[in-house]
Amino acid sequence: MDFVYVLLTALLIAAAAAMILKKMDSKLVFLFLGVIGLFVATMLNGTSVLGDSTTGSVWLDVLDVVRGKFVSTIGGTGIRLMMIGGYVMLMNHVKAADVLATVAGKGLTKLKNPYVVLALVYIVGAVLKIFITSQIALGLLFMATMYPILTRLGVSRVSCAAVMVSIGALDLGPNDSTTIFGASDIMNTTPMEFFVNYEGIIGPVVILSIAVFYAVYFSYMDRKEFGGLTPMETSQVEAADSQVPGFYGLFPLIPLTLVVVFSFVDGVKMDVITAHIICYFLFFIVDLIVRKDMSMIVENLNHVWVWMGGYFHKIIVLISAAGVFAEAIKQLKGIDVLANLCASLNGAALIAAVGLSLIVFGTAILTGSGNAPWFAFGPLAPNIANTLGANTALLVVPMHLAGGLGRCFSPFCGGMIAVSGMAELDTNVVCKRNILPMTFGYIVTIIASYVVFGMM
């Protein structure tokens, strides 16, 4: 039966890949194959795919999974995407983003190499991931602030977008749900201790290594594909910026500033959505004072609703459908079978660390989620480590970080879909650009973990 589970899981994934490669609508592919996979899992297992939360009919439960995915996505990631996306489009529409890009770009052009700037942007974003735990929210915030600056400096859109996705790769920090799970359910420690004693040691090494790799590799790829830097004409930028007051360039920075500042304020939580609501009100009030034209405010607000609807149609539906597909893969149990095979390894601790983290890494690529494989396979680590007489952290840290790295070149990843959509690039193009950097990051994670937790 185990062979059947693995075979069906592989067939489902292969079918999705084949249909997407044939340019079929990915939303339809994920939803259609996801529902089929859930029905097959129900027939094989004879139990509800909803577990104890069944509707009373195992067959109706399959469709209830679809309902649940759409409801949870729209209520969580979806509203964030629409709120942030609407604000980003508004900033572009009123040329505030152009002002910011021009002013900041003039200062950054003093650096001899724009790809050094790209690497610095990645480092800053990766550090901020500690405070802004949503990969999508962080990516979109940086799309609104740093993406225009980098493209003005001549870095290609695909290279910029790839970095905007990967700044949220490493799920570091005591506030992250995966850290809390790893601390309490696997390492039997507090989230802060887990962060300081384990993640905080390996994470900086990985971040710095990827930053250097980005600077070198993306410079090479842009020369190879585009002939080098492709900056916008300065006259074009200045002509656009002259239409609005210079201080409008601050508005794209305010949401990120609010979230970061309040992350240091005890007893006060500033959600990304709340920050953007504040910014909407602030911008419209200031814009009314500056322009003294109420009709312009109404027009821009109507544009915001349309932009939000566009994000729902293009991105949120795709994320929801991909979630149904990912649930089908989980219910077919093929991944569980492979995990159990890893649990029986009697080889070296390094082999076990590589094997387990590769499963998380690979599953994250296939599903677009770093959390799901971590929650599923993470608990295997302590028993395997005890059998091998190894430090549990040697297995746990690579597994935890591998999921985030793997999802950053997955076409099913919400952050990838959101950033690619905003950059108006095909998702597969951005995925391909991130394959080598994220694989390099994974290798560094394994080596650093082995040196720190296996040799010392």
Side-chain angles (χ1 to χ4, degrees), residues 381-404:
N383 290 335
I384 297 175
N386 289 336
T387 300
L388 300 174
N391 188 338
T392 305
L394 173 58
L395 278 61
V396 169
V397 173
M399 291 177 71
H400 184 207
L401 300 183

Side-chain angles (χ1 to χ4, degrees), residues 12-222:
L12 189 69
I13 294 170
M19 294 170 76
I20 291 174
L21 288 174
K22 290 184 178 181
K23 306 299 182 181
M24 295 185 66
D25 188 285
S26 54
K27 296 188 291 293
L28 179 61
V29 170
F30 291 145
L31 187 60
F32 177 72
L33 290 180
V35 169
I36 289 179
L38 290 170
F39 273 118
V40 171
T42 300
M43 288 187 290
L44 284 176
N45 302 326
T47 57
S48 169
V49 292
L50 291 176
D52 295 334
S53 302
T54 177
T55 63
S57 168
V58 293
W59 307 112
L60 183 59
D61 287 349
V62 170
L63 300 180
D64 203 57
V65 169
V66 179
R67 176 201 63 81
K69 292 297 180 183
F70 273 82
V71 169
S72 62
T73 300
I74 294 171
T77 300
I79 189 62
R80 283 179 168 81
L81 270 174
M82 290 190 288
M83 189 67 68
I84 296 172
Y87 188 78
V88 169
M89 295 299 292
L90 177 63
M91 293 298 98
N92 290 336
H93 180 68
V94 301
K95 306 300 181 183
D98 287 344
V99 175
L100 171 66
T102 302
V103 174
K106 286 179 179 178
L108 291 172
T109 50
K110 296 178 181 179
L111 294 175
K112 295 182 179 180
N113 193 335
Y115 294 95
V116 173
V117 180
L118 186 73
L120 292 174
V121 167
Y122 170 76
I123 293 173
V124 172
V127 172
L128 286 179
K129 182 63 167 62
I130 297 173
F131 309 103
I132 306 171
T133 57
S134 169
Q135 180 196 20
I136 295 177
L138 185 62
L140 291 178
L141 284 171
F142 269 67
M143 282 294 293
T145 54
M146 297 309 304
Y147 177 83
I149 295 173
L150 292 168
T151 53
R152 291 287 195 292
L153 291 174
V155 181
S156 71
R157 289 190 301 146
V158 63
S159 292
C160 293
V163 171
M164 299 304 107
V165 173
S166 63
I167 57 176
L170 302 184
D171 296 321
L172 302 172
N175 294 324
D176 193 277
S177 60
T178 60
T179 298
I180 295 171
F181 174 78
S184 59
D185 290 34
I186 300 177
M187 298 297 289
N188 194 28
T189 186
T190 67
M192 181 57 73
E193 289 174 342
F194 182 68
F195 171 62
V196 173
N197 297 330
Y198 305 111
E199 288 180 330
I201 299 173
I202 305 303
V205 176
V206 179
I207 290 171
L208 292 175
S209 299
I210 292 176
V212 173
F213 191 91
Y214 267 142
V216 176
Y217 177 63
F218 280 2
S219 175
Y220 164 76
M221 290 301 295
D222 283 354

Side-chain angles (χ1 to χ4, degrees), residues 296-358:
M296 181 69 72
I297 303 299
V298 174
E299 181 182 346
N300 285 337
L301 187 57
N302 286 330
H303 282 316
V304 169
W305 306 136
V306 174
W307 291 323
M308 286 185 178
Y311 270 83
F312 178 84
H313 167 67
K314 295 179 181 179
I315 300 174
I316 297 169
V317 172
L318 181 55
I319 294 174
S320 302
V324 175
F325 180 77
E327 182 64 23
I329 291 177
K330 178 182 176 182
Q331 293 292 336
L332 285 174
K333 296 183 179 180
I335 302 298
D336 291 338
V337 172
L338 295 177
N340 290 331
L341 289 176
C342 284
S344 63
L345 284 175
N346 293 317
L350 179 59
I351 296 176
V354 172
L356 288 171
S357 59
L358 273 178

Side-chain angles (χ1 to χ4, degrees), residues 386-433:
N386 289 336
T387 300
L388 300 174
N391 188 338
T392 305
L394 173 58
L395 278 61
V396 169
V397 173
M399 291 177 71
H400 184 207
L401 300 183
L405 293 166
R407 73 178 176 225
C408 286
F409 62 94
S410 169
F412 315 134
C413 172
M416 175 64 72
I417 295 169
V419 169
S420 299
M422 188 173 292
E424 298 181 347
L425 292 168
D426 187 276
T427 305
N428 291 329
V429 173
V430 183
C431 287
K432 290 178 181 178
R433 183 57 64 96

